[in-house]
Amino acid sequence: MTNPPTSFEIANKHFAAIVDINGDCSSDIVLLSGLNNGYLEIYTKRPNNLYTYEQISLNLNVSWLTFADLDANGAIDIFIIAYEQHNYNPYVLTNAYHPEDLCQLYEHSSYPLSNLAPITLPNNYKLLADSNIQIADFNLDGLPDLLGIFSVSSYRSVTILANH
């Protein structure tokens, strides 16, 4: 555990979330910060109502991120859009823990960087700077889907990409 910074650079596209990052069923605070938006600043709530601080370097130029259960196992994952080589690319950082571990404080980081994986979009689909991705079960099959503005064969299109 390190001490929190007295100040830090706010990400340009600002991001903040209140989410249970460590599985103990308490709300934690997550901020995107740093040069090139590459760091998650995590303030984890402890039983004494104080917060501990952790910084995770994602080694990506993060444009946007959100939290959702992307693999439908009951644990919250991190959906990331990174700007790389003039393209916006989606990634998922899956939670290392399972639903049976919920409301029990995790012993280790629940988001090891070894779990970071690219998401493959269908051919001719590209993310845009303003894709505004929303994640929900739009087709009611129990799996999270992506809704957003995509470039499809050079045309802008509002599209639902179903998770199979």
Side-chain angles (χ1 to χ4, degrees):
M1 179 176 79
T2 60
N3 290 325
T6 55
S7 67
F8 58 89
E9 181 180 334
I10 298 292
N12 183 10
K13 216 170 178 187
H14 177 69
F15 173 84
I18 296 175
V19 63
D20 179 13
I21 198 87
N22 65 345
D24 66 353
C25 291
S26 292
S27 297
D28 307 311
I29 301 168
V30 180
L31 304 170
L32 181 62
S33 70
L35 187 62
N36 295 325
N37 304 342
Y39 295 94
L40 288 181
E41 308 275 341
I42 300 171
Y43 295 84
T44 306
K45 188 174 183 180
R46 294 297 175 195
N48 59 5
N49 285 328
L50 297 176
Y51 287 82
T52 58
Y53 171 80
E54 177 184 9
Q55 184 182 69
I56 297 175
S57 174
L58 296 172
N59 298 318
L60 295 170
N61 182 5
V62 178
S63 174
W64 184 80
L65 61 90
T66 193
F67 293 84
D69 181 12
L70 293 165
D71 55 8
N73 73 348
I76 298 295
D77 305 310
I78 305 175
F79 177 80
I80 301 167
I81 296 177
Y83 187 69
E84 304 167 310
Q85 302 171 355
H86 307 289
N87 289 304
Y88 292 91
N89 299 309
Y91 289 87
V92 63
L93 183 55
T94 55
N95 193 315
Y97 288 87
H98 301 286
E100 61 269 8
D101 300 320
L102 293 179
C103 294
Q104 299 175 28
L105 182 63
Y106 300 155
E107 294 293 321
H108 305 287
S109 173
S110 55
Y111 298 98
L113 289 179
S114 60
N115 285 7
L116 184 67
I119 296 174
T120 303
L121 296 176
N123 288 343
N124 301 323
Y125 280 72
K126 290 188 178 182
L127 290 167
L128 304 166
D130 61 349
S131 283
N132 194 21
I133 300 296
Q134 301 298 313
I135 301 172
D137 183 9
F138 295 107
N139 59 2
L140 304 177
D141 67 351
L143 298 173
D145 308 307
L146 303 180
L147 167 71
I149 301 168
F150 294 87
S151 173
V152 182
S153 301
S154 300
Y155 295 98
R156 291 173 63 89
S157 173
V158 175
T159 305
I160 294 174
L161 296 178
N163 188 348
H164 299 290

